[in-house]
Amino acid sequence: MKPKIFITRKIPKRIVTQIEEVCEVEMWEEEDTPIPREVLEKKVEDIEGLFCLLTESIDEELLNKAKKLKIVSNMAVGYNNIDVGAAKERGITVTNTPGVLTETTADLTFALLMATSRRIVEASDYLRDGKWETWSPMQLTGQDVYGATLGIIGMGRIGQSVAKRAKGFDMNILYYNQSRKTEIEDRLGVRYVEMDQLLQESDFVVIMTPYTPETENLIAKRELAFMKESAILINTARGGIVDEEALYHALKNNEIWAAGLDVFETEPISQENPLLTLPNVVTVPHIGSASIKTRLKMAELAAENLINGVTDKKPAHVVV
Ligand code: DGY
């Protein structure tokens, strides 16, 4: 008998077919609507494998209902949506999809850096709103990227790929990481500094660290106060790493210059969120890994992890 698995969102047919060769598959068929919690609670009772997204909270309460579950395969590199401790206690493997989204996420990070520094969205709106009446010397002037100082908080795969892009712009690159990575310093031409120094010296602060209890609100009022008035904050990691209220005040009061945000404390972001009222904020809806090729690779990798997990083979990317 094939092991039963459940997929929490519609994924491409080709990948479903691949899973079906080994498993009995059921899938939430909606593309843009997350599975209701009560439906997921029912589905997990009877399955051995769960293919899920970062939109599902795989918490202790849910895992308690999943008596036969062997594996939770998350189609994301981040796994803060999963209570990995509770999964481990129950002998449930958790997997993620690192590696395949590194360059795509680094591209988006750099795109936000360019868009905020050169006020691309604001300038586009200015033109479309019919405000462009003449060319003038200081109109819509921004900050230079070329030759500026970039501070990367979290020097994992994506941080390193952002550093490679920054080299092409002759940027001076600082980084802070929980543990210093001397082996990459010469290769990438990056310099390790303590976090406060990074915040004080950087023209761009890029957050690339995982979201954990230790990194929650890592960037709050105190840290924002260290940043230059001309500095730009970019977050493509997780919203909870930045205290959004403190960020709003820093931006509103011109204590920092701009922010580029792909991720938010609560997603989807409420239309009432005051950050959306600020012209010096560029926001996109958590699209860091959203290229066609990369999203397909993530789904394929999550499928492979899942198949290995339900057939008692070791998946390639085990978190716990
Ligand atoms: C991840 O993988 O963690 C991203 O946030 C979504 O691609």
Side-chain angles (χ1 to χ4, degrees), residues 54 74-80 97-98 101 105 158 236-238 262-263 267 286-290 294-295 298:
L54 47 79
N74 209 32
M75 189 188 137
V77 66
Y79 47 85
N80 54 293
T97 60
L101 49 78
T105 308
I158 305 173
T236 53
R238 286 291 183 270
D262 181 39
V263 288
E267 294 181 6
H286 204 146
I287 57 166
S289 62
T294 292
R295 285 286 168 86
M298 288 166 68

Side-chain angles (χ1 to χ4, degrees), residues 234-269:
I234 307 292
N235 189 6
T236 53
R238 286 291 183 270
I241 300 169
V242 178
D243 176 341
E244 262 175 25
E245 205 185 320
L247 177 64
Y248 170 77
H249 288 292
L251 288 161
K252 176 90 182 151
N253 301 325
N254 301 318
E255 289 160 18
I256 69 168
W257 206 72
L261 305 173
D262 181 39
V263 288
F264 304 89
E265 273 173 10
T266 304
E267 294 181 6
I269 187 172

Side-chain angles (χ1 to χ4, degrees), residues 38-308:
E38 62 281 9
V39 180
L40 182 58
E41 284 183 3
K42 215 65 224 124
K43 295 292 175 194
V44 293
E45 285 176 1
D46 197 29
I47 54 168
E48 289 178 53
L50 180 66
F51 180 122
C52 63
L53 311 185
L54 47 79
T55 45
E56 281 85 52
S57 172
I58 312 300
D59 50 29
E60 188 158 16
E61 193 196 5
L62 189 90
L63 293 172
N64 279 340
K65 299 185 192 295
K67 299 287 183 229
K68 302 183 187 167
L69 195 61
K70 290 183 176 172
I71 176 161
V72 176
S73 173
N74 209 32
M75 189 188 137
V77 66
Y79 47 85
N80 54 293
N81 57 313
I82 303 172
D83 185 337
V84 289
K88 193 170 178 201
E89 275 169 24
R90 289 158 182 78
I92 299 169
T93 302
V94 175
T95 59
N96 66 344
T97 60
V100 293
L101 49 78
T102 303
E103 301 302 340
T104 306
T105 308
D107 282 349
L108 194 270
T109 306
F110 227 83
L112 281 176
L113 190 150
M114 301 289 289
T116 44
S117 58
R118 298 302 304 272
R119 303 171 64 176
I120 300 293
V121 176
E122 196 186 343
S124 171
D125 289 346
Y126 183 84
L127 182 154
R128 285 167 187 254
D129 293 345
K131 294 182 183 156
W132 188 28
E133 286 173 358
T134 181
W135 186 95
S136 67
M138 297 308 286
Q139 182 182 62
L140 288 164
T141 44
Q143 306 288 346
D144 279 320
V145 176
Y146 187 85
T149 296
L150 171 67
I152 300 176
I153 299 178
M155 203 39 134
R157 292 185 186 83
I158 305 173
Q160 292 177 37
S161 287
V162 169
K164 286 184 202 153
R165 284 155 180 75
K167 292 304 287 175
F169 284 79
D170 252 350
M171 294 179 96
N172 167 35
I173 309 167
L174 310 176
Y175 81 98
Y176 171 75
N177 198 61
Q178 232 183 3
S179 54
R180 188 171 168 181
K181 297 196 168 181
T182 43
E183 73 285 1
I184 58 151
E185 291 178 10
D186 284 345
R187 181 162 51 84
L188 293 179
V190 297
R191 186 159 64 87
Y192 179 83
V193 291
E194 288 303 327
M195 180 125 125
D196 289 353
Q197 188 182 346
L198 180 147
L199 294 166
Q200 280 163 338
E201 292 183 12
S202 298
D203 299 307
F204 296 89
V205 173
V206 173
I207 300 170
M208 305 262 71
T209 186
Y211 182 37
T212 63
E214 291 73 45
T215 62
E216 181 162 1
N217 286 340
L218 183 73
I219 303 297
K221 193 171 189 276
R222 171 186 173 279
E223 289 69 31
L224 291 162
F226 274 130
M227 288 173 64
K228 298 179 188 178
E229 277 180 17
S230 57
I232 295 174
L233 181 75
I234 307 292
N235 189 6
T236 53
R238 286 291 183 270
I241 300 169
V242 178
D243 176 341
E244 262 175 25
E245 205 185 320
L247 177 64
Y248 170 77
H249 288 292
L251 288 161
K252 176 90 182 151
N253 301 325
N254 301 318
E255 289 160 18
I256 69 168
W257 206 72
L261 305 173
D262 181 39
V263 288
F264 304 89
E265 273 173 10
T266 304
E267 294 181 6
I269 187 172
S270 150
Q271 286 305 303
E272 310 302 313
N273 189 314
L275 284 169
L276 298 183
T277 64
L278 300 176
N280 52 348
V281 175
V282 175
T283 51
V284 287
H286 204 146
I287 57 166
S289 62
S291 77
I292 298 167
K293 275 192 193 160
T294 292
R295 285 286 168 86
L296 288 174
K297 282 191 207 152
M298 288 166 68
E300 277 162 16
L301 193 52
E304 278 168 34
N305 286 334
L306 179 87
I307 291 170
N308 283 323

